[in-house]
Amino acid sequence: MKDKMIESLDEIKSTGLKDIEGVKTLDELEKLRVKFLGKKGKLTAVLRDMGKLSGEDRPVIGQTANEIRNSLEMEINSAKDSLGQKMKEMKMKEEDIDVTISKEELILGHRHPLLHTLEELEDLFISMGFSVVVGPEIETVENNFDALNSPENHPSRDLSDTFYINDDILLRTHTSPVQIRAMKELGAPLRIVSAGRTFRFDDVDDTHSPMFHQLEGLVVDENISMANLIHTLDIFIKELFGSDMKTRYRPHHFPFTEPSAEVDVSCLSCRGKGCELCNGTGWSMELLGCGVVHPKVLEHCGIDSEKYSGFAFGMGIDRITMVKYGIDNIRLLFENDNRFLNQF
Ligand code: DAH
């Protein structure tokens, strides 16, 4: 009996020490402690048979068992210490921040070329004393057409040209309705620009998109004439494209201005000399529409057309952006392809 117990105890000691040595985590170690030294552990199981031993054998076994318990406990404690230390080191390593490592560069976005142009235009007009106002993209038929003196049968009012929401409401087809809102709200005198999105039932091609951008301008004051209009726009165009730019005012028709004109500027590519792009004419096609505000429009907004007169203009921001940056396809402005946008 005694020999068998000694054998079992030796076995416990040797496997115990071996197991402790191979332990990798504190959890595993605790499990081992329970397995060997716990109340229901291996050592206790062996000692349960102590009662069967003779009086003289008992203390011998007892002493051996105690020695084994002590040495296993010592091993466990020192394993606990070194494991604890190891885990701490590992954790520190994991959480370590090496400030010398070069991280991937944080790429900041930038303004879209359209927005860049829009803000540049607004800034130019602000510097000439204009205020910036905003108008809604969803407009009344009244503001978009009627108040702008656009006749009932005007082709632009057609269902095939305009996105109607119902009989009275539409997506604005131009920024000109902001003129109406501004005059009604602010009265005369007045000097405003307003930029934003506009919508027309156009199929997409290289130069057309059903959504595009315009900038509208309006000046109302006493003694405003076509001369003020030309002077203002000439300064604006020279500021925008360069002082060598020439302008050409061609008579045109808009229902809300009389007289009306379209403005051409020197070809940006050859700057007026004549090249392939401008078919040798030296001119870029119309850049904007403008005119002297029709008295009917002023009167409709409650402004005395005997006392006040005004001029107005509207231009395509997409067009200007394309001309400025040499972009030949309007789709590029709306596709949000980073390969394109990153060039700006
Ligand atoms: N609203 C016109 C268009 O979309 C552009 C325009 C022409 C605006 C003459 C004006 C103007 O203010 O006076 O084609």
Side-chain angles (χ1 to χ4, degrees):
M1 187 74 206
K2 174 188 161 205
D3 291 343
K4 216 184 125 217
M5 280 179 81
I6 297 263
E7 205 176 296
S8 300
L9 289 173
D10 281 347
E11 156 81 14
I12 287 176
K13 184 175 176 182
S14 63
T15 52
L17 289 177
K18 209 171 103 214
D19 286 0
I20 293 167
E21 205 183 286
V23 112
K24 296 238 161 44
T25 67
L26 288 169
D27 250 13
E28 275 175 47
L29 188 66
E30 174 60 13
K31 277 190 191 127
L32 278 186
R33 193 189 63 76
V34 173
K35 179 175 162 194
F36 286 98
L37 306 178
K39 260 191 206 150
K40 293 178 183 161
K42 286 188 165 192
L43 196 65
T44 324
V46 174
L47 296 180
R48 216 163 273 143
D49 289 336
M50 288 271 275
K52 295 175 189 161
L53 289 172
S54 65
E56 66 190 56
D57 284 345
R58 226 176 278 160
V60 181
I61 292 295
Q63 198 187 346
T64 315
N66 271 340
E67 279 169 16
I68 291 176
R69 173 183 295 279
N70 287 344
S71 70
L72 286 181
E73 265 173 1
M74 254 171 59
E75 275 316 299
I76 286 174
N77 285 340
S78 83
K80 206 187 240 168
D81 285 350
S82 72
L83 267 181
Q85 183 62 26
K86 236 189 232 156
M87 307 270 266
K88 206 159 119 191
E89 277 168 16
M90 256 166 60
K91 207 161 171 235
M92 291 211 343
K93 221 178 228 164
E94 259 170 37
E95 291 174 1
D96 198 18
I97 298 172
D98 184 347
V99 291
T100 65
I101 288 179
S102 57
K103 272 279 293 170
E104 222 177 89
E105 210 181 319
L106 188 63
I107 298 169
L108 281 182
H110 58 77
R111 274 178 169 54
H112 190 282
L114 260 179
L115 189 58
H116 194 84
T117 307
L118 188 154
E119 289 182 349
E120 188 181 352
L121 299 181
E122 282 182 351
D123 284 347
L124 274 174
F125 282 107
I126 288 171
S127 75
M128 291 198 261
F130 285 72
S131 307
V132 174
V133 300
V134 284
E137 291 166 6
I138 298 173
E139 255 299 359
T140 58
V141 172
E142 156 82 17
N143 283 347
N144 194 84
F145 290 128
D146 299 316
L148 286 165
N149 197 34
S150 143
E152 201 62 63
N153 58 355
H154 197 274
S156 70
R157 299 181 74 133
D158 203 274
L159 280 174
S160 63
D161 276 313
T162 299
F163 293 104
Y164 284 91
I165 290 169
N166 59 35
D167 285 350
D168 303 316
I169 299 186
L170 42 67
L171 297 185
R172 65 178 179 187
T173 60
H174 51 177
T175 43
S176 301
V178 185
Q179 290 187 33
I180 304 301
R181 289 177 178 272
M183 283 190 277
K184 282 188 171 167
E185 271 169 42
L186 306 170
L190 187 73
R191 213 186 299 183
I192 55 110
V193 287
S194 185
R197 265 185 282 214
T198 48
F199 307 86
R200 280 180 210 174
F201 220 116
D202 276 329
D203 287 325
V204 179
D205 64 22
D206 285 359
T207 52
H208 291 86
S209 155
M211 188 275 291
F212 55 104
H213 300 74
Q214 286 191 338
L215 179 124
E216 190 79 15
L218 172 68
V219 172
V220 178
D221 210 331
E222 292 177 38
N223 301 317
I224 294 291
S225 73
M226 195 75 186
N228 302 112
L229 164 67
I230 292 174
H231 180 67
T232 306
L233 290 181
D234 276 3
I235 290 179
F236 161 70
I237 285 164
K238 285 184 162 58
E239 284 292 328
L240 184 65
F241 292 123
S243 55
D244 57 334
M245 282 283 128
K246 289 202 174 64
T247 51
R248 177 169 76 174
Y249 293 75
R250 276 183 294 102
H252 198 75
H253 171 75
F254 296 106
F256 35 92
T257 43
E258 181 61 37
S260 307
E262 272 190 341
V263 184
D264 301 335
V265 296
S266 312
C267 169
L268 270 152
S269 178
C270 61
R271 305 198 84 80
K273 288 191 197 73
C275 68
E276 251 175 48
L277 272 177
C278 58
N279 290 324
T281 62
W283 294 102
S284 268
M285 316 159 276
E286 84 271 12
L287 186 77
L288 52 84
C290 59
V292 172
V293 180
H294 199 293
K296 270 194 190 165
V297 175
L298 295 175
E299 292 294 340
H300 177 93
C301 299
I303 291 174
D304 180 358
S305 65
E306 294 292 326
K307 181 169 178 203
Y308 291 106
S309 52
F311 70 78
F313 50 90
M315 61 191 84
I317 298 174
D318 317 78
R319 260 296 306 286
I320 293 179
T321 307
M322 290 169 74
V323 173
K324 226 171 85 133
Y325 295 113
I327 300 165
D328 55 8
N329 188 335
I330 197 171
R331 295 178 186 88
L332 288 166
L333 290 177
F334 304 121
E335 278 172 348
N336 281 338
D337 186 334
N338 270 329
R339 288 170 302 180
F340 168 75
L341 292 176
N342 284 341
Q343 299 173 51
F344 296 91

